[in-house]
Amino acid sequence: MTIMSGALRAAPPEGGQHRQPIVTAAIELTASEGWSAVTMARLAEAAGVSRQTVYNEIGSKAALAEVMISHELARFLAVVRTAFDRHPDDLVEAIYEAIRAVLDLADDNTLLRAIASATHGTDTELLPLLTTRASSLLTEAKTMLVERVRTYGPPLDDEQITVVIDLVVRTVLSHVMQPSDTPARTADALAWVVGRVLGTSAARPMRRG
């Protein structure tokens, strides 16, 4: 049985005071023991609440998976927004900080590691939902990034900016799943390439660190 089957009760749109502890407990339990080990009873015990509270705050196990993954993906989008907010006049620096923040967050992301590990075992119940949400994440991330990059006035039209952003997002996601260097050096290299493509700060040297 996959997470998309079973009770169809959705998570309430507005969580109460217990929702965050429940979600945190679910993420930690999934990372340590796998999604199949997550039951409402164990979740209630880990979060220090009753089973009824878990059902009231979350709904079904399928809804719990949706809330967990949406929570983690929102964290990634938040660090990207923060990076651009911190560097409103320096596009390359904003891109560098955004990529580095995403890779740093991914390196310490228990849910993402658990899902990645599941691809090599039998506990794959979370993967269908991750695939569905990943598509939404890509669309949301690219739309946000195109809008932010446009404000820096690069010498490209919207279609060209969209092509560049699509390439960057997909490349960063590949490094999330299979890093080839440290977050800092990967971010440095990608920011340098993007700076050259966008025609801004082309002469900026790579950080080498």
Side-chain angles (χ1 to χ4, degrees), residues 84 91-92 95 149-150 152-157 160-165 168 191-202:
F84 278 86
L91 176 55
V92 174
I95 291 172
V149 169
R150 187 189 298 126
Y152 292 82
L156 301 175
D157 60 31
Q160 292 169 328
I161 293 174
T162 299
V163 170
V164 174
I165 294 304
V168 172
W192 178 78
V193 170
V194 173
R196 296 297 295 263
V197 173
L198 292 177
T200 179
S201 301

Side-chain angles (χ1 to χ4, degrees), residues 36-155:
S36 60
V38 178
T39 65
M40 294 307 187
R42 293 195 65 186
L43 194 53
E45 181 181 2
V49 297
S50 67
R51 287 182 62 185
Q52 188 59 50
T53 297
V54 174
Y55 282 109
N56 291 342
E57 289 282 3
I58 301 298
S60 65
K61 191 176 179 182
L64 172 62
E66 175 74 27
V67 171
M68 286 167 56
I69 293 174
S70 295
H71 172 269
E72 294 301 283
L73 296 183
R75 293 175 63 202
F76 282 91
L77 293 178
V79 298
V80 172
R81 293 190 184 96
T82 297
F84 278 86
D85 288 343
R86 282 168 51 86
H87 302 283
D89 302 314
D90 191 331
L91 176 55
V92 174
E93 195 65 25
I95 291 172
Y96 167 79
E97 186 170 317
I99 294 174
R100 180 171 181 173
V102 166
L103 295 178
D104 281 335
L105 184 59
D107 187 54
D108 191 35
N109 189 283
T110 55
L111 178 59
L112 186 60
R113 287 203 305 271
I115 295 170
S117 297
T119 64
H120 302 292
T122 58
D123 189 8
T124 59
E125 291 180 301
L126 276 173
L127 294 178
L129 183 57
L130 177 66
T131 301
T132 301
R133 290 294 293 124
S135 177
S136 298
L137 171 67
L138 281 172
T139 299
E140 186 175 351
K142 287 187 289 187
T143 298
M144 178 190 71
L145 285 168
V146 168
E147 292 174 354
R148 297 303 291 262
V149 169
R150 187 189 298 126
T151 65
Y152 292 82

